[in-house]
């Protein structure tokens, strides 16, 4: 009985420590993103890139939609900052990473047409579309384990596993 109690106590302490570490990482990501946005909006790209480097490094190991969304945002800002610094290759690499994180990502707002062109070039070598129709209509379809709905679906170039069930 004492061993079970000790094991449960240790497990609880480990989970609490992991939760505290995750909360600290979340706070650090928010600090880095806030600092990066401030520098980006002030056109201080040299200062924005290091903050975005740190945010991207922390976010790359994250799972879940929120982590992927923040990573995509950080990669877009870093790509646009690198473009502003004249590093088109680095910007394109970041756009490719962004699209691998979220193939459906699109740029929004007022963005330089040259940046949009670079993003579209990255998209051409990274993403394609799948036109999916399902019969019967109540069948469930997954691509790489993610449930999808019929229609035009952006997917990364390469091999995928498609499964359907009813």
């Amino acid at each position: 009985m004492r061993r079970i109690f000790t094991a449960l106590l240790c497990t609880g302490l480990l989970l609490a420590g992991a939760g505290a570490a995750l909360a600290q990482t979340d706070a650090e990501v928010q600090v880095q993103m806030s600092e990066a946005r401030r520098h980006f909006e002030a056109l201080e790209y040299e200062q924005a890139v290091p903050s975005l480097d740190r945010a991207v490094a922390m976010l790359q190991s994250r799972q879940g939609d929120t982590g992927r969304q923040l990573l995509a945002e950080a990669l877009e800002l870093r790509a646009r900052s690198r473009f502003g610094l004249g590093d088109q290759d680095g910007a394109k690499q970041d756009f490719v990473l962004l699209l691998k994180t979220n193939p459906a990502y699109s740029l929004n707002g007022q963005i330089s047409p040259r940046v949009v062109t670079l993003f579209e070039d990255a998209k051409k070598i990274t993403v394609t579309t799948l036109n999916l129709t399902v019969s019967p209509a109540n069948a469930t379809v997954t691509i790489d384990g993610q449930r999808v709905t019929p229609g035009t679906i952006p997917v990364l170039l390469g091999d995928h596993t498609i499964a359907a069930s009813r």
Side-chain angles (χ1 to χ4, degrees):
M1 183 70 160
R2 180 179 282 219
R3 286 184 184 167
I4 293 173
F5 177 75
T6 303
L8 288 173
L9 181 61
C10 289
T11 302
L13 290 172
L14 286 173
L15 289 174
L22 185 58
Q24 183 178 6
T25 302
D26 285 345
E28 181 63 20
V29 166
Q30 292 303 324
V31 167
Q32 295 301 325
M33 289 298 293
S34 177
E35 184 177 324
R37 279 188 208 98
R38 183 174 55 80
H39 288 302
F40 179 83
E41 289 168 3
L43 306 179
E44 299 168 342
Y45 304 128
E46 299 89 2
Q47 290 82 18
V49 170
S51 293
L52 291 163
D53 288 343
R54 290 187 290 274
V56 166
M58 287 185 267
L59 289 166
Q60 283 181 322
S61 62
R62 290 284 180 85
Q63 299 296 320
D65 292 339
T66 303
R68 281 194 305 274
Q69 183 179 3
L70 273 172
L71 177 58
E73 181 183 339
L75 288 167
E76 178 188 342
L77 281 178
R78 190 169 74 176
R80 292 173 60 194
S81 295
R82 286 181 169 173
F83 185 87
L85 292 171
D87 181 7
Q88 288 193 0
D89 290 337
K92 189 171 185 177
Q93 288 172 355
D94 280 342
F95 281 141
V96 167
L97 285 173
L98 182 158
L99 291 163
K100 286 181 178 181
T101 300
N102 180 358
Y105 197 88
S106 61
L107 298 176
N108 296 311
Q110 291 186 332
I111 300 173
S112 161
R114 291 181 10 208
V115 171
V116 173
T117 298
L118 190 64
F119 177 79
E120 293 299 326
D121 289 346
K123 196 170 193 173
K124 287 176 188 172
I125 62 170
T126 310
V127 178
T128 190
T129 56
L130 170 68
N131 294 317
L132 179 66
T133 56
V134 178
S135 180
N138 63 346
T140 300
V141 179
T142 62
I143 298 176
D144 299 329
Q146 299 289 322
R147 188 174 178 165
V148 294
T149 56
T152 301
I153 304 164
V155 294
L156 294 175
L157 293 172
D159 295 333
H160 297 277
T161 302
I162 299 175
S165 64
R166 177 173 164 240

